[in-house]
């Protein structure tokens, strides 16, 4: 088996959640410098895939493997995966009472202090947060948009090599969308020329808006626990817009006969 | 340093570290005054500023006839067997008197310390904060490590006069064999503010207290309690607040962690008697072991149609979701639990001595390691 350094590879992954088979047979390869988007209807298994890569305990891997930077991480606890360079922006992170957003930033930066550091303040400003906001209990009473910005801010503090973003654009107003898009771009080194990029990303989105800010390298459509088709983001998205998710897959199957650009794993429906 | 009552073999310096743990700094850095009593001996009674008088209550009663008007007026000697015992066999206690309008910048510190095996320490304290004055009193009650079989009864009567503010921070650091019965009454007059912070992080054999606060017109009483029950400790801690005056208000917040075979009973009782009164109880418990017990008893009693009283109580375990959120930021499971417990117990107490904060921190880190 070929194991590429500086890549994330998922082979034949099957995952159960609370006894339900959510992911059936997922194959995915993200190489150094690439950002992929993950599309698909609710309940198709997108979040499950991200949280399985993260290694949360509810996600029971029944088959397959996850290889990161050439190492099989399938059985590693979450914090060790994080130390290897995996990071995530959650869709619905929990409130932790008595733990401030500033403390979370310190934790992300590997600092063992409860005090609000200059670096944290500087970062907060970039994300349009006041210094005062850093003293608030993390996620407590945050608006939808504040949660998105807070999650991305924590990732910037953490500087992971592989960035997962679970719907970073949902519930965000236009003003903040631009900011979030810009910050995501920075996080994923999209401001650099492709050959200089090292960071990898996997972004779940329902809205195409984010693609105006992040010119992703590839898009995948997830359906019923499998990656049904993959291809150029614009092309896939146009297909989804025109024909819905199921329709998109048909299109991609047809395309698959003519070209190798878009390939389809959704062989037997 | 006054040593007229000192009959101890040891000097206060020998207890320096023990005293620091409950916030008493014998070097008096940033302190407006001090009272230290070891067993039955008054060791320090000194004020560093003119507007504050600090004495033991035996001498104070001799010095001021008017003090009779405050003696056993906020607490009844007939309340129970412990108050009776304190009345019959009193061993000093502090008298702290803050003059009208005085704004005391630094806290006053006091410590009631037990260093000898078998000591029964029965103190009777009086605090009077005159009209418009403001003060923070930090009092630590502690026993020397290894002392078994001691008994502490502390009667405290506090008077917060019109427009005055008293912040009273009490730290208990007893031992697994110490029996503790504080008996406290607080009278808060019109526009007065009483803030109580209570921290008990170490094992104690049996601790039971339920300070009673009486609020006058527009008066405010705020209670923050942090309990960490471990080993075989039994803690029964409550606050009773009478909202007697119009528009008086109170907020009672408690955080309790219980582990091992400890039992923590956390009570709160607000009695609303007058127009425009407002009260809220918040009682949260965190269970760390199967052998432990947390029993939350919030009570509200309205005796007026114009009452606004509420409570919330929640007892539970550490949330797996919160642990994993922190793990996804790079902490291992133990570190994550430690951060959560620390956050849970994180109540904002102003002017808390640094050593004390560190002591609390150490305790939390140690405890989270066992999860």
């Amino acid at each position: 088996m070929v194991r590429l350094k500086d890549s994330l590879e998922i082979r034949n992954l099957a995952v159960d959640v609370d006894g339900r088979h959510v992911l059936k047979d997922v194959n995915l390869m993200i190489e150094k410098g690439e950002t992929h988007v993950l599309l698909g209807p609710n309940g198709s298994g997108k979040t499950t895939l991200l949280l399985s890569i993260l290694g949360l305990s509810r996600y029971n891997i029944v088959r397959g493997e996850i290889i990161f930077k050439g190492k099989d991480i399938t059985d590693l606890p979450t914090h060790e995966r994080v130390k290897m360079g995996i990071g995530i922006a959650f869709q619905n992170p929990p409130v932790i009472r008595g733990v401030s957003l500033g403390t979370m930033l310190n934790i992300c930066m590997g600092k063992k202090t409860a005090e609000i550091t200059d670096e944290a303040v500087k970062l907060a400003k970039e994300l349009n947060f006041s210094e005062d906001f850093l003293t608030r209990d993390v996620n407590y009473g945050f608006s939808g948009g504040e949660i998105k910005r807070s999650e991305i801010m924590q990732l910037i503090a953490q500087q992971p090599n592989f960035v997962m973003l679970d719907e970073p654009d949902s519930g965000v107003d236009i003003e903040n969308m631009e900011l979030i898009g810009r910050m995501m771009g920075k996080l994923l080194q999209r401001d650099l020329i492709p050959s200089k990029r090292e960071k990898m990303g996997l972004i779940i989105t329902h809205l195409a808006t984010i693609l105006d800010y992040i010119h992703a390298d590839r898009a995948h459509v997830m359906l019923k626990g499998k990656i049904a088709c993959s291809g150029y983001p614009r092309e896939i998205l146009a297909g989804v817009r025109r024909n819905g998710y199921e329709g998109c897959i048909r299109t991609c199957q047809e395309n698959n006969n003519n070209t190798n650009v878009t390939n389809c794993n959704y062989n037997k429906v | 340093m006054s040593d007229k009552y000192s009959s101890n073999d040891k000097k206060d310096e020998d207890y320096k570290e023990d005293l620091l743990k409950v916030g008493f700094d014998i070097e008096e850095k940033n302190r407006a005054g001090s009272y230290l009593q070891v067993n039955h001996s008054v060791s320090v009674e000194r004020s560093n500023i003119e507007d504050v008088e600090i004495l033991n209550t035996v001498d104070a009663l001799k010095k001021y006839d008017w003090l009779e008007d405050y003696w056993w007026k906020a607490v009844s000697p007939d309340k129970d067997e412990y108050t009776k015992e304190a009345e019959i066999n009193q061993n000093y206690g502090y008298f702290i008197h803050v003059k009208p309008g005085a704004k005391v910048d630094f806290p006053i510190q006091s410590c009631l310390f037990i260093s000898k095996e078998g000591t029964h320490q029965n103190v009777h304290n009086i605090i009077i904060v005159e009209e418009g004055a403001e003060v923070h009193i930090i009092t630590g009650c502690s026993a020397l490590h290894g002392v078994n079989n001691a008994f502490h009864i502390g009667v405290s009567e506090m008077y917060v006069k019109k427009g005055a503010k008293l912040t009273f921070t009490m730290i208990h650091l007893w031992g697994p064999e110490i029996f503790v019965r504080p008996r406290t009454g607080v009278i808060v007059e019109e526009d007065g503010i009483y803030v109580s912070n209570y921290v008990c992080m170490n094992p104690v054999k049996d601790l039971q207290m339920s300070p009673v606060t009486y609020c006058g017109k527009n008066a405010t009483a705020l209670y923050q309690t942090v309990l960490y029950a471990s080993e075989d400790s039994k803690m029964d801690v409550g606050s009773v607040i009478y909202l007697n005056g119009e528009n008086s208000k109170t907020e009672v917040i408690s955080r309790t962690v219980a582990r091992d075979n400890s039992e923590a009973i956390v009570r709160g009782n607000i009695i609303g008697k007058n127009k425009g009164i407002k009260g809220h109880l918040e009682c949260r418990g965190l269970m760390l072991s199967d052998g432990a017990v947390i029993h939350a008893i919030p009570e509200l009693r309205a005796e007026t149609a114009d009452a606004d009283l509420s409570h919330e109580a929640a007892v539970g375990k550490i949330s797996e979701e919160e642990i994993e959120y922190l793990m996804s930021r790079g902490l291992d499971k133990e570190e994550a639990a430690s951060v959560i417990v620390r956050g849970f117990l994180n109540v904002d107490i102003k002017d808390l001595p640094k050593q004390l904060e560190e002591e609390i921190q150490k305790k939390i880190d140690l405890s989270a390691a066992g999860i």
Side-chain angles (χ1 to χ4, degrees), chain B residues 180-251:
Chain B
V180 185
R181 289 290 182 269
R183 294 292 178 261
T184 303
V186 186
I187 294 174
V188 190
E189 292 184 2
E190 192 173 334
D191 297 319
I193 299 171
Y194 175 65
V195 181
S196 158
N197 303 307
Y198 176 60
V199 179
C200 183
M201 300 285 295
N202 287 63
V204 58
K205 185 183 181 66
D206 191 323
L207 159 73
Q208 187 266 319
M209 65 174 192
S210 198
V212 185
T213 305
Y214 307 89
C215 288
K217 192 178 171 185
N218 295 326
T220 305
L222 303 172
Y223 271 86
Q224 291 196 103
T225 300
V226 176
L227 297 178
Y228 190 101
S230 61
E231 298 176 19
D232 296 313
S233 298
K234 191 170 187 304
M235 299 178 181
D236 182 341
V237 175
S239 314
V240 180
I241 292 108
Y242 285 89
L243 298 175
N244 291 334
E246 270 181 41
N247 299 315
S248 57
K249 56 183 185 291
T250 186
E251 187 172 9

